[in-house]
Amino acid sequence: MTVKVGIPRALLFYYYFPMWNGFFRALGADVILSSNTTKAILDKGVRQSVDDACLPVKLFFGHVLDLKDRVDYLFIPRMVSVERKEYICPKFLGLPDMIRYNVPDLPPILDVTVNVSRSEKNLFKAFAEVGRVFTSNPRTIRKAYNRGIEEQERFHRLNHLGYLPHEAIEQMGRGLLNQNHSPARQGDMTIALVGHGYNIYDSYISMNLIQKLRDMGVRVVTPDNLTGTIIEEKSAELPKKMFWTLGKRMIGSAFHYMRSDSIDGIIHVASFGCGPDSFTGEIIERHLRRRRNIPFLNLTIDEHTGEAGIITRLEAYVDMIRLRRAAQ
Amino acid sequence: MKVTFPHMGNMYICLKAVLTSLGVEVVVPPMPSKKTLTLGTQHSPEFACLPLKINMGNFIEAYEMGADTILMAGGVGPCRFGYYAQVQREILEDMGLKMKMVVLEPPQKHISELLIKIREVTGSSSWIDVVRAIRFGWHKARAVDEVEDVLHRIRPREYEPGRADVVYKKALKWIDDAHDRNELKDAISKARQELDAIPVDNGREVVRIGIVGEIYVMLEPFVNLEVEKQLGRLGVEVERSIYLSEWINDHLFMGLLKIKGSKEARKHAPPYVNHFVGGHGQETIGSTVLFANRNYDGVIQVQPFTCMPEIVAESIIPTVSRDLGIPTFCLIVDEHSGDAGVLTRLEAFVDLLARKKEKNTVKNTVLQSSEKKGEQVCADI
Ligand code: SF4
Ligand code: SF4
């Protein structure tokens, strides 16, 4: 019987699923995803985690609960660092521990540490460690690792072509791997949505933000559509290196989009109680307001955010941009 | 150049000593107050952690007193502290307050990196003078810790509650006023004498509580709602998991001096927290384990609202509490915290510990049993 590895559809799923999926499948495992976020999943997560955790972490608990009885292993890597001298967020450093001591009756957790802060080579070491749970053949592991890297590169290519990560993951799932064209999008304006992937691409959590904007005739771009080079270059304008990888992507993309003629507005999406967002959001907002040339909207979401309120604010914001344009 | 810095408990005594003995003009911001908090909150991001907001308040108040340069510590993540100075600089710029920021980043390789930064403020002083000044500041920090140690022992045992605190206040002033090592030695012995003269009931059965958590909230009485003093009045002997001089050694001297530091606490965090999680998250867990091993009656975790490392710790502390049979209580503070509710909850917690202790003492003498049971209480204020 094939081994079932469970991956929660939350947090870094939106950044690294293709790599993880490619790796485990090449090792002969079945990859099982938790269901799409629902109210029930979120509620369960909220009940199982500490009150003070941020929404995305609570939601992660919910996805673990959804998945745990259906799989042989849960893949919850300790994602310390994915780029040199950077971190993601303290909560990712403690994630496997938080899960282990708060969710009863768990299957074994594959909680290998991914830390490339000092050396990129550690990435392979981490995957090799996981691989040894499945096979003792180092060549199989090496091959599976390369497979994962390939998938991840395909994923990035799709992102840079204009597919949003959740769309790219879906495309890849359907076997459409060698896309060369940007997706066709209707609309008379483009808005950059800047936020953590697990907030903006989870349609339940974001209250379908992307679709709503598209329905209003807006094309949506995000930090993930930009290449690493642009992000590095633009975020380097800060006097001190931004040490949160996702925060760096948000700041780099905001600095890039605020100068781009094809961008009509920037929306920053933050989680209630998110530590890094409170800083990156502040820096982005201050820089944008100083330039005064691009309309900015800050949306903070938590488990109580009302959908009606969000729609009203979005509509007002999009109308304002259209009026501004008409006046020019 | 008039140099200021943010408050963190009694840190000002130490910083002021270093700077003034190098001939730098110093503006110590007023001790944090409601006004500081209001000013800081008004100009800071809503979801920033509380220390950043109080820092902002300190800077604005110091600016009003004529300060033009800020001395601030830095960091390389993953916690927010490493980016405090950057966000604060942006805010000051938009407010139009012209203040230069000198950020002391933790030395990556050698302590000289830190010394070079310090010279940006101290100008032409010789190396020897700089080192001597830092040593002097360090001794002041040790002096403060020494006095606090005695204070914590006396508070729950004094016949007339409040006397020790009066002496403590005076002692801080004597330490602060000392111009050289000799005067400092005099200050310490005077403080010890006065403290020792306070009548205490040494036979009194006191509850012992360890305080763990986020460093700023632990060290700054204004934001922790004077939790140590409150507990002292309730007949509790407290011990903090970290003292000022230990923090300075760990963070600014890279652990160069061989005194007790956070290493020991970190060693005891596994299997609960198996990795560094930023800030003092791992130390919070490790220190809780250590307090349990030393048979403390309870542990109080203090943290600012939205503090990332402490949330990791908070979600794991209940397990430690259950496994090791040590009751824990968590105190979360933000700009809306008031002390009325806190005192009631603290009292309830201390009561619980006192009853448990009584029961255990009886049980231990009669049955020699050491059954353990943990309880976890959480207060969000
Ligand atoms: S980055 Fe923010 S939202 Fe993400 S885990 Fe950390 S605190 Fe939560
Ligand atoms: S330890 Fe907590 S309070 Fe301190 S900077 Fe980090 S998040 Fe903020």
Side-chain angles (χ1 to χ4, degrees), chain A residues 151-167:
Chain A
E151 296 275 300
Q152 189 69 14
E153 278 166 5
R154 279 201 187 105
F155 173 65
H156 288 316
R157 213 161 46 236
L158 287 175
N159 286 167
H160 300 156
L161 275 173
Y163 289 91
L164 298 182
H166 61 303
E167 296 162 343

Side-chain angles (χ1 to χ4, degrees), chain B residues 49-51 79-82 84 214-217 278-280 304 306-310:
Chain B
C49 31
L50 192 57
C79 189
R80 274 181 277 186
F81 187 71
Y84 264 34
E214 192 276 334
I215 184 75
Y216 184 88
V217 179
H280 288 77
T306 76
C307 172
M308 306 179 284
E310 293 303 325

Side-chain angles (χ1 to χ4, degrees), chain A residues 50 52 78 80 87 90 93 97-98 101-102 238 240-241 243-244 272 275-276 278-279 282-283 286-287 290, chain B residues 45 47 75-80 82-83 86 90 94 105 271-277 308 311 314-315 319 332:
Chain A
V50 281
D52 306 293
R78 193 188 299 276
V80 175
Y87 296 96
L93 274 65
D97 301 322
M98 287 202 274
Y101 292 108
N102 285 286
L238 289 171
K240 172 175 176 173
K241 180 181 168 62
F243 47 66
W244 297 305
F272 178 88
S278 67
F279 279 26
E282 181 80 4
I283 292 173
R286 284 181 185 274
H287 280 254
R290 275 177 218 154
Chain B
F47 294 114
V76 291
C79 189
R80 274 181 277 186
Y83 234 73
Q86 309 304 317
E90 302 273 354
D94 284 347
E105 296 293 349
Y272 301 107
V273 175
N274 296 302
H275 197 280
F276 171 65
V277 295
M308 306 179 284
I311 286 174
E314 185 194 346
S315 63
T319 312
I332 301 169

